[in-house]
Amino acid sequence: MTDYRRLRVALLGAGAVGSQVAALLRQHADELADRAGARLELVGIAVRDLDAPRDVELPRELLTTDAESLIVGADIVIELMGGIEPARSYLLQAINSGADVVTANKALLATYGPEIFDAADQVGAEVYYEAAAAGAIPIIRPLRDSLAGDRVQRIMGIVNGTTNYILDRMDTEGAEFLDVLGDAQRLGYAEADPTADVEGYDAAQKAAILASLAFHTTVPLESVHREGITAIDKSMMDAARHAGYVIKLLAVCERLNDESGEAISVRVYPALIDRSHPLASVHGANNAVFVQAEAAGNLMFYGAGAGGVQTASAVLGDVVSAARRHIAGGVGVGESTLANLPIVPVGRVTTRYQITLEVDDQPGVLATVAGTLSEGRVSIATVEQTVVQESNGAPGVARLVIGTHKALEQDLSETVDRLAASGVVERVVSVLRVEGD
């Protein structure tokens, strides 16, 4: 057996991911030592409750409730507790003690990333977070390292497995949102309180992380436009399918150029994707990130977006990288945010739309709707009309599904408001963006 240098590894958290990381560190110790060039010695696991049930049986002597003492003297600290505090304080303590840190904590990085990266820069430490953006999918290193010499133009990602599972079943089975959400909760894909997933908060945190890396700009979480999927129903799915689309919750990070100069947009919302687009074929709870770069062209990263052992794979990859850096020596490589591009509101974004309206079924209504759209600088590409309600000779209600050419979000929003108040529109059923052109 090779006599490797030993590196002390402290693990904070032993939940679904943490317990798998602990098990793999112990089971594959020899292989990991060969790959890292150092023996990774798990010196302890900080937990809130020593007696809590866990997915993997762990040696009792490794468990402790004293995280601060465990951090002292560690070479690498793995944070898998989740949440903001005390995770933030523990990471800063680890960094200030000279340790490299590995985390999968998207909420923490999206909220306090600049503070954590700056602390690491001050002492020459490194922060690794491959598992924070898309589970097992390797996307952080490609953006930070492989594409560092290129210019990323756009990222479109399905980065939340729960919402993809829900929308995929609604599309393929014609199921209703609440029914599928209940199944997702029973299967463990969704929490008892699914708000973070279905309202887009989880995806927005990941979008902030991806955009910061791709565009070398600090992206505060409050700059990410966010919409969830709770308004998506069977009729919207049917209309999307009929038009050749599928609805996905997308994180879109985009470089923009207009008369005011270069800027970026970061947004999360349900959108229509053409069924021929690679993202349309991402099924179940899987994730995928589609990257468009100036020189490299189109790149697709696909795989499991969650799961204990899957996410543990990404965490251990970071641990090996941290170990190699310790052996090689030198200071950590800081995050590049020097581009400092302005982040524009969603109103400045230009895309296509599908607008569904319920209108009075009588002559002149379509002309009125078309005129209102034209006045608002929104050009019609397609129109489909179906009668959804008739009333014994009295005017009934018709449904218009209108596809537009590209329009400015602000113009579209103001125009839809005018349509809603026009007197001929009974109800604005939905407004969905069309992405992936």
Side-chain angles (χ1 to χ4, degrees):
M1 182 185 297
T2 304
D3 186 18
Y4 289 117
R5 171 184 168 186
R6 290 182 177 271
L7 295 177
R8 293 166 57 87
V9 178
L11 174 61
L12 311 182
V17 179
S19 59
Q20 292 290 346
V21 168
L24 292 171
L25 275 171
R26 300 177 71 245
Q27 290 170 14
H28 304 309
D30 291 340
E31 287 182 55
L32 290 171
D34 290 340
R35 297 170 192 173
R39 186 158 292 278
L40 302 171
E41 181 185 357
L42 181 61
V43 294
I45 306 168
V47 296
R48 292 185 178 91
D49 181 357
L50 296 174
D51 299 314
R54 295 184 171 87
D55 296 341
V56 176
E57 186 175 345
L58 300 172
R60 178 82 177 193
E61 62 271 18
L62 284 178
L63 303 180
T64 178
T65 57
D66 187 357
E68 293 188 8
S69 296
L70 185 61
I71 289 168
V72 175
D75 299 297
I76 301 169
V77 175
I78 308 169
E79 184 276 307
L80 298 172
M81 304 174 67
I84 301 299
E85 288 292 354
R88 170 181 164 273
S89 297
Y90 289 157
L91 277 190
L92 290 174
Q93 179 191 348
I95 290 167
N96 290 328
S97 71
D100 283 346
V101 297
V102 176
T103 180
N105 195 331
K106 54 191 173 289
L108 179 60
L109 292 178
T111 309
Y112 290 103
E115 177 188 20
I116 291 167
F117 294 130
D118 182 64
D121 287 344
Q122 295 299 317
V123 299
E126 186 81 84
V127 181
Y128 298 86
Y129 53 102
E130 184 64 73
I137 300 173
I139 185 63
I140 299 300
R141 286 189 193 86
L143 288 176
R144 185 171 60 181
D145 300 329
S146 305
L147 294 173
D150 207 336
R151 280 171 61 87
V152 175
Q153 301 293 345
R154 200 162 196 259
I155 295 173
M156 285 199 306
I158 297 169
V159 294
N160 181 273
T162 301
T163 52
N164 199 62
Y165 171 82
I166 292 170
L167 293 174
D168 185 47
R169 282 197 51 196
M170 290 177 70
D171 173 62
T172 57
E173 301 175 15
E176 291 286 4
F177 172 81
L178 289 177
D179 294 334
V180 184
L181 174 59
D183 289 343
Q185 289 171 318
R186 284 188 289 275
L187 290 168
Y189 292 145
E191 301 289 342
D193 179 0
T195 303
D197 294 321
V198 300
E199 294 293 355
Y201 290 101
D202 176 85
Q205 293 163 356
K206 295 170 180 175
I209 293 169
L210 293 174
S212 297
L213 274 175
F215 304 123
H216 308 284
T217 295
T218 298
V219 178
L221 187 55
E222 59 269 20
S223 297
V224 180
H225 176 82
R226 175 196 55 78
E227 298 174 27
I229 67 167
T230 54
I232 305 298
D233 61 18
K234 185 177 183 299
S235 68
M236 295 165 70
M237 281 290 181
D238 292 342
R241 189 182 308 105
H242 182 72
Y245 297 117
V246 62
I247 300 174
K248 297 289 188 182
L249 183 71
L250 295 181
V252 182
C253 314
E254 185 174 29
R255 188 188 298 269
L256 305 175
N257 286 282
D258 57 24
E259 65 277 359
S260 14
E262 195 171 50
I264 60 174
S265 165
V266 188
R267 53 203 193 263
V268 168
Y269 46 51
L272 298 167
I273 288 279
D274 191 282
R275 287 185 178 269
S276 64
H277 193 281
L279 288 178
S281 60
V282 178
H283 299 296
N286 287 312
N287 283 187
V289 180
F290 191 79
V291 179
Q292 295 171 283
E294 190 174 86
N298 295 337
L299 305 169
M300 177 90 157
F301 302 84
Y302 169 86
V309 70
Q310 293 90 342
T311 305
S313 167
V315 172
L316 286 173
D318 280 345
V319 173
V320 169
S321 294
R324 287 171 175 169
R325 193 187 81 78
H326 270 273
I327 298 304
V331 299
V333 179
E335 295 301 297
S336 170
T337 57
L338 297 180
N340 198 29
L341 296 173
I343 305 166
V344 301
V346 72
R348 290 265 303 276
V349 172
T350 299
T351 188
R352 295 192 294 122
Y353 299 85
Q354 184 190 78
I355 308 166
T356 303
L357 308 172
E358 287 184 356
V359 301
D360 296 334
D361 184 25
Q362 55 186 340
V365 169
L366 183 56
T368 299
V369 170
T372 303
L373 288 168
S374 178
E375 290 168 8
R377 298 181 293 279
V378 179
S379 174
I380 295 176
T382 61
V383 178
E384 183 169 326
Q385 176 175 328
T386 56
V387 176
V388 295
Q389 179 182 329
E390 296 184 10
S391 179
N392 298 326
V397 175
R399 176 164 291 191
L400 296 179
V401 180
I402 301 169
T404 78
H405 293 291
K406 286 190 174 182
L408 193 66
E409 173 91 15
Q410 182 175 326
D411 290 343
L412 188 283
S413 179
E414 292 172 353
T415 301
V416 169
D417 287 343
R418 286 197 295 273
L419 283 171
S422 66
V424 299
V425 174
E426 297 288 335
R427 183 167 72 102
V428 177
V429 177
S430 65
V431 179
L432 289 171
R433 291 93 169 174
V434 180
E435 296 286 359
D437 291 348

